[in-house]
Amino acid sequence: MSRLQESESEAPKAVASIRKANQADLCAIRDLLSLRDGRQWSQADTDWFLCGLDPERCLAWLAFVGGKPVGLTSMYVRTLRVGGRERRVGYWANLYIQEGHRDHMLYPRLPMAMTVALKPAGLDFLYACVRQRDVAATHLRIGFGHVGRMKMLIKPLRPGRLIAKHKKMPGLVQALAAPVDLLFGAALKRSRRSLESVDSTVDLPFDFESAGQVVDLLNRAGEQRISQRWTPESFQARFEQTREGGRYELLGLRDQGLAAAVIWRMAERGKGIRAGVVMDAVWRNGDERAIGSALIEAERRAHRNGGELMIYLDGVGPAMREVMERLE
């Protein structure tokens, strides 16, 4: 080994540091989110996504190596109802460590920084919703507890094209899937007609009045489980836009007040698969048929917008699961 090679191999490794982010760091956060997602985030979308780093709504931490930001984590401030009590808590999101800097023990150092900040921020605990099993196992190793599991419910809208995209089949095979999807679509139309109520689903504005009505239903539905306590203001802020800068749709049925409501959006997932994503669904007691009609309308619109499937994270409970299963 030459003296040059020896000196390079013995060069000290750059030290990683972590500090709480402030509003002046939102440009750096924008760049890290762009690296994470493989698309350019706008500054406006970044500011909205991190709530402008208003400490009453969102806290974030950055990791630096050689003065360069290479890692991010954040938690959103929420009010949860747990066991009949309201608790002010942090919801963990947006952990990202830039490739090439993942050997600095930044995970678990970044979440540890959040944990230390909980008490000074007046928060009772930190929680997260994790999709990947290996990541969930790592969370358990650093001190998290397991609360429960939620299933991802999926309904195909164009099964032929969905399989062709998922399997990365060439264009000719995708074209051959069209007749299958045409027949499947006709069957879907027949099943929708048999399940819809006589009332019509309408578009609801995301104004304060509609938000208040939906929030009332959401809070009532969550009384007997661990759930977020919504306000009209938090509802409007959450669904002001999608993270890509798109829009949510709020569908509802009115009958002497709001009988049912569905919040949904179109999203593009891996391999160009387009999905209609049901964000939340809620109904007045005894109006299960009304929520079925609202879900069918969301499904119809997703199909019209080129969707291959519908997705719903089953976190509301058995009553909602039964409604979804009847719509299969």
Side-chain angles (χ1 to χ4, degrees):
M1 180 184 292
S2 68
R3 288 185 178 276
L4 177 60
Q5 290 174 317
E6 185 177 356
S7 63
E8 288 178 347
S9 64
E10 294 176 356
K13 187 177 180 179
V15 177
S17 61
I18 295 173
R19 68 163 172 81
K20 188 176 177 181
N22 56 54
Q23 291 182 341
D25 295 312
L26 283 166
C27 290
I29 292 174
R30 175 202 62 202
D31 294 340
L32 286 171
L33 290 174
S34 300
L35 286 171
R36 182 194 70 177
D37 296 342
R39 68 173 182 86
Q40 184 59 49
W41 277 70
S42 72
Q43 194 60 57
D45 288 347
T46 303
D47 295 351
W48 166 81
F49 189 54
L50 275 296
C51 307
L53 289 183
D54 175 357
E56 291 298 311
R57 300 173 61 198
C58 181
L59 304 170
W61 286 260
L62 287 169
F64 296 83
V65 174
K68 174 187 174 184
V70 300
L72 165 71
T73 192
S74 68
M75 61 179 174
Y76 295 95
V77 178
R78 293 181 176 177
T79 300
L80 287 191
R81 292 181 297 188
V82 183
R85 292 181 55 193
E86 289 192 354
R87 295 180 178 272
R88 193 164 177 264
V89 303
Y91 174 71
W92 182 11
N94 303 314
L95 176 66
Y96 171 70
I97 301 167
Q98 189 176 340
E99 194 171 350
H101 298 283
R102 295 173 182 171
D103 56 347
H104 290 274
M105 290 295 292
L106 294 176
Y107 183 84
R109 288 175 61 193
L110 279 165
M112 184 61 67
M114 292 190 297
T115 303
V116 171
L118 287 173
K119 188 174 181 179
L123 305 178
D124 290 334
F125 58 82
L126 181 69
Y127 78 105
C129 182
V130 184
R131 291 177 296 173
Q132 297 172 308
R133 289 187 178 182
D134 56 339
V135 177
T138 305
H139 279 49
L140 294 174
R141 286 197 295 270
I142 64 172
F144 279 78
H146 181 258
V147 176
R149 286 188 173 89
M150 293 185 288
K151 293 182 179 180
M152 179 70 77
L153 303 182
I154 296 174
K155 179 177 182 178
L157 301 179
R158 290 182 171 88
R161 200 165 74 187
L162 174 63
I163 293 171
K165 284 187 175 182
H166 180 67
K167 298 293 186 180
K168 295 183 178 180
M169 295 178 176
L172 177 60
V173 178
Q174 290 197 39
L176 293 175
V180 175
D181 291 340
L182 189 63
L183 291 172
F184 190 83
L188 276 181
K189 287 182 180 179
R190 289 194 296 271
S191 66
R192 288 171 189 152
R193 284 195 293 267
S194 67
L195 291 167
E196 283 183 297
S197 71
V198 295
D199 299 315
S200 297
T201 303
V202 298
D203 289 278
L204 300 176
F206 281 92
D207 59 13
F208 195 81
E209 180 182 358
S210 294
Q213 293 174 329
V214 177
V215 161
D216 183 59
L217 291 179
L218 285 170
N219 288 336
R220 288 174 184 268
E223 286 178 348
Q224 304 303 316
R225 56 186 174 86
I226 299 175
S227 62
Q228 181 175 350
R229 181 180 64 77
W230 291 94
T231 66
E233 293 84 358
S234 65
F235 182 85
Q236 287 181 302
R238 170 63 183 84
F239 296 110
E240 180 182 348
Q241 66 171 73
T242 69
R243 60 194 294 172
E244 299 87 5
R247 60 185 291 267
Y248 292 98
E249 290 190 28
L250 177 58
L251 303 175
L253 274 82
R254 294 191 182 279
D255 177 17
Q256 297 180 344
L258 187 63
V262 170
I263 307 108
W264 81 284
R265 60 165 293 191
M266 287 299 298
E268 184 168 307
R269 297 302 188 233
K271 303 175 183 177
I273 294 172
R274 289 182 56 77
V277 183
V278 176
M279 306 299 298
D280 229 324
V282 65
W283 67 95
R284 193 171 56 199
N285 286 342
D287 284 322
E288 286 87 353
R289 193 169 180 86
I291 192 62
S293 290
L295 287 165
I296 286 170
E297 178 59 22
E299 177 187 306
R300 184 183 288 115
R301 294 185 184 194
H303 190 275
R304 190 163 60 235
N305 283 309
E308 281 92 32
L309 76 161
M310 295 292 291
I311 297 175
Y312 172 67
L313 184 61
D314 181 24
V316 175
M320 188 66 207
R321 193 176 308 123
E322 289 174 9
V323 171
M324 289 291 188
E325 287 172 351
R326 287 200 296 272
L327 295 177
E328 287 183 351

